[in-house]
Amino acid sequence: MIKYTHIIWDWNGTLLNDISASLASVNDMLALRGKPPIDIDFYRECIGVPIIKFYEKVFDMEQEDYSVIIKQYNEGYLRHLGVCSLTDGAVEMLDYFAECGAKQAIVSSSNNEQLCKNVKKYGIFERFEAVLGAADYYAGSKIERAEEYLSGCSERRVLVIGDLEHDAEMAAQLGADCVLITSGHENRERLYAAKAKVISDLRELVSVCE
C-alpha cells in the first residue's frame, strides 16, 4: 500500500519524453523567419504556462498572429514526435501505482483530442481513469480540470507528478503533494524554486510514496 489514493500525471515532459520534438518545432518556426535557433538550455529556462509567455521571449509577437504561431508549432511538433518515446520508468511506475490500488489520471495543457490520440499511440490509454486535455491548443492552466476530476472524491490523498512549476501550482491548489522530474521541459533551478520534491528518474517515486 502507498499513502496516495489518486495519482495525477502530467503528459508532456513527464510521461512522454518529448522535449526534443518541442524544441525542433520552435526552431523550425524560427528558421522560417530567418532567425537563429535556440538551444535546449534557453528553451528550458523560458518555457511555461501559459505558453504565450514563452513565445513573447522567442518571437516578436507584435508582428505575429498568435493563432498562426500555435498552428505552426503543433504541426511541427507532430512531425517530430515520431522519434519520441515514453520517459524511462514510465510504464514501470504506472504498473506500480496500479498494483498499489491508486487511481491514475492524466491532466494536461495539451489539446484533448491530440492528447488522447497520442496516449493511445503509446499503448497506455487504458491505464487511466481519466485523460483530460484542453479544449484548445493554447496551453493554458489545467487546474480547473484537475479540480473537476477530484470533485466527487470525499476522501483523497493526491500526488501530482509533473515537470513544470505549473504542476506545483496545481498541486497546491488541490491540497496535493507534488513531485517534479528534471528530465522534462523546465530546468532544475525553476523546479527547486517551486518547493516541490524534485527527482531525476521516475523510478524514484517508489521511495517518495512509501
Side-chain angles (χ1 to χ4, degrees):
M1 290 293 293
I2 59 174
K3 55 188 174 183
Y4 299 108
T5 59
H6 294 76
I7 310 297
I8 294 182
W9 292 92
D10 172 58
W11 175 242
N12 304 96
T14 303
L15 284 169
L16 181 64
N17 183 9
D18 65 346
I19 188 170
S20 63
S22 295
L23 178 60
S25 181
V26 172
N27 281 332
D28 286 348
M29 294 160 66
L30 287 168
L32 282 173
R33 292 159 174 80
K35 296 180 180 294
I38 61 172
D39 62 23
I40 193 168
D41 291 333
F42 181 84
Y43 174 91
R44 297 179 84 224
E45 181 180 337
C46 296
I47 198 70
V49 176
I51 195 66
I52 191 170
K53 292 183 179 179
F54 169 75
Y55 290 126
E56 287 171 347
K57 297 174 183 177
V58 178
F59 300 101
D60 181 358
M61 293 307 295
E62 292 185 359
Q63 303 298 320
E64 297 283 354
D65 183 330
Y66 188 36
S67 64
V68 172
I69 289 283
I70 294 297
K71 182 175 184 293
Q72 288 180 340
Y73 169 79
N74 280 285
E75 289 174 348
Y77 173 81
L78 292 174
R79 284 196 306 272
H80 292 287
L81 187 60
V83 300
C84 298
S85 60
L86 294 176
T87 302
D88 288 346
V91 172
E92 185 178 337
M93 294 315 304
L94 290 171
D95 288 342
Y96 168 76
F97 287 125
E99 290 169 2
C100 292
K103 296 180 179 180
Q104 301 184 75
I106 292 175
V107 181
S108 173
S109 296
S110 295
N111 170 264
N112 190 66
E113 181 179 354
Q114 181 173 304
L115 172 66
C116 289
K117 182 178 180 179
N118 285 335
V119 177
K120 291 175 182 176
K121 171 185 173 181
Y122 288 93
I124 58 173
F125 187 85
E126 301 302 328
R127 296 171 183 263
F128 301 99
E129 184 178 56
V131 176
L132 306 171
D136 54 39
Y137 289 88
Y138 290 88
S141 173
K142 55 190 181 182
I143 294 174
E144 185 176 332
R145 289 193 300 284
E147 289 177 329
E148 184 176 352
Y149 165 66
L150 293 169
S151 62
C153 306
S154 56
E155 294 187 16
R156 68 195 198 203
R157 299 180 304 280
V158 183
L159 176 64
V160 171
I161 305 168
D163 69 317
L164 302 178
E165 293 168 292
H166 182 61
D167 293 306
E169 294 168 359
M170 182 175 73
Q173 188 74 21
L174 298 172
D177 290 344
C178 183
V179 174
L180 302 176
I181 186 165
T182 59
S183 59
H185 288 256
E186 287 186 359
N187 62 29
R188 289 175 180 268
E189 291 77 14
R190 297 174 66 188
L191 301 186
Y192 280 113
K195 298 180 180 179
K197 173 70 175 178
V198 178
I199 60 175
S200 58
D201 188 304
L202 285 178
R203 285 163 287 224
E204 295 176 54
L205 288 166
V206 174
S207 61
V208 171
C209 294
E210 291 177 343

